[in-house]
Amino acid sequence: MRVVFLGPPGAGKGTQAERIVNERKIPQLSTGDMLRGAVAAGTPVGLQAKAVMESGGLVSDDIVVAIISDRIEEADCQNGFILDGFPRTVAQAEALDGLLKEKNLKLDAVIELVVDEGALISRIEKRVQETIAAGKPVRKDDDPEAFKQRLVVYREQTAPLSDFYAKSDRLKTVDGMMSINEVAQAIDALLDAV
Ligand code: AMP
């Protein structure tokens, strides 16, 4: 099963994707995690991506499309994958369609977590507090200014994807303001219907 999760930063995509990984035994492909890994490892991609990520902007389409193209070739993606944080622009969504077509694969579901933007700011503040309480380092792009910038970028560059997938009748939406369990149930119902 090949699934795309859409939704602004802090909507709960990562939380839901992690659960599905365990339950359905398919990997979560988070371009954000992969890019953070590249930054930490100091690879050429990481060096290019670091500053733009910290400011809340988007890394170039070419870089992330190449990362995903390689990653979905790997053995653990044979039975499918969950894309979390990719695609993030219409150009990336078109590239993904092209990549999958070349490999004779199709997307089974595109699920958008619809959330209230005001509530996201409080969610992210909570995530920061929990991270600090757990003694873990806080992501630089989770600081309030960078986070707000990520929301602006989402609105401008990623929100148009809802229309892109709706036009081809592929978009399903879930109310992301429900409890984590309720969101999980709604997503499972959609995935079970695939
Ligand atoms: P995330 O963990 O998904 O919120 O991603 C963290 C940061 O990584 C984003 O704010 C972007 O700078 C970068 N990033 C992750 N995925 C993409 C993508 N598909 N396209 C461009 N930049 C991305």
Side-chain angles (χ1 to χ4, degrees):
M1 173 176 293
R2 285 168 291 274
V3 185
V4 166
F5 270 147
L6 292 179
K13 300 187 296 294
T15 306
Q16 294 296 334
E18 269 171 39
R19 180 184 62 82
I20 295 167
V21 166
N22 293 326
E23 289 170 9
R24 304 198 184 229
K25 311 288 176 228
I26 49 176
Q28 168 193 13
L29 310 187
S30 155
T31 38
D33 284 349
M34 295 182 222
L35 289 166
R36 279 186 287 280
V39 170
T43 66
V45 163
L47 293 176
Q48 242 178 300
K50 188 171 190 284
V52 68
M53 286 175 74
E54 285 177 359
S55 73
L58 289 188
V59 175
S60 82
D61 290 337
D62 291 351
I63 291 183
V64 288
V65 169
I67 292 178
I68 286 294
S69 175
D70 288 347
R71 184 64 184 86
I72 63 181
E73 290 286 341
E74 287 179 32
D76 64 335
C77 292
Q78 288 286 308
N79 293 326
F81 44 78
I82 307 164
L83 289 171
D84 160 19
F86 178 94
R88 245 179 167 97
T89 63
V90 171
Q92 291 178 21
E94 287 170 343
L96 176 64
D97 279 347
L99 279 179
L100 293 177
K101 198 167 172 205
E102 260 172 40
K103 300 177 207 287
N104 257 323
L105 301 172
K106 69 174 185 57
L107 281 180
D108 297 296
V110 178
I111 300 177
E112 178 180 354
L113 297 183
V114 180
V115 289
D116 171 70
E117 271 201 20
L120 287 179
I121 311 269
S122 356
R123 266 196 196 178
I124 212 71
E125 281 165 0
K126 198 168 154 227
R127 174 156 107 190
V128 169
Q129 281 161 6
E130 284 169 357
T131 309
I132 293 170
K136 294 187 193 150
V138 175
R139 279 168 53 172
K140 278 216 176 103
D141 60 357
D142 270 352
D143 89 37
E145 282 320 302
F147 185 75
K148 282 181 196 146
Q149 179 56 22
R150 286 162 70 201
L151 281 181
V152 170
V153 170
Y154 182 84
R155 232 179 282 134
E156 288 173 357
Q157 307 216 44
T158 310
L161 285 181
S162 307
D163 263 2
F164 175 84
Y165 285 117
K167 271 190 203 142
S168 47
D169 221 10
R170 292 184 284 178
L171 184 71
K172 306 268 186 268
T173 56
V174 165
D175 175 3
M177 299 312 295
M178 299 187 294
S179 70
I180 291 181
N181 278 342
E182 287 167 327
V183 173
Q185 280 172 16
I187 291 174
D188 282 344
L190 291 174
L191 295 181
D192 289 341
V194 162

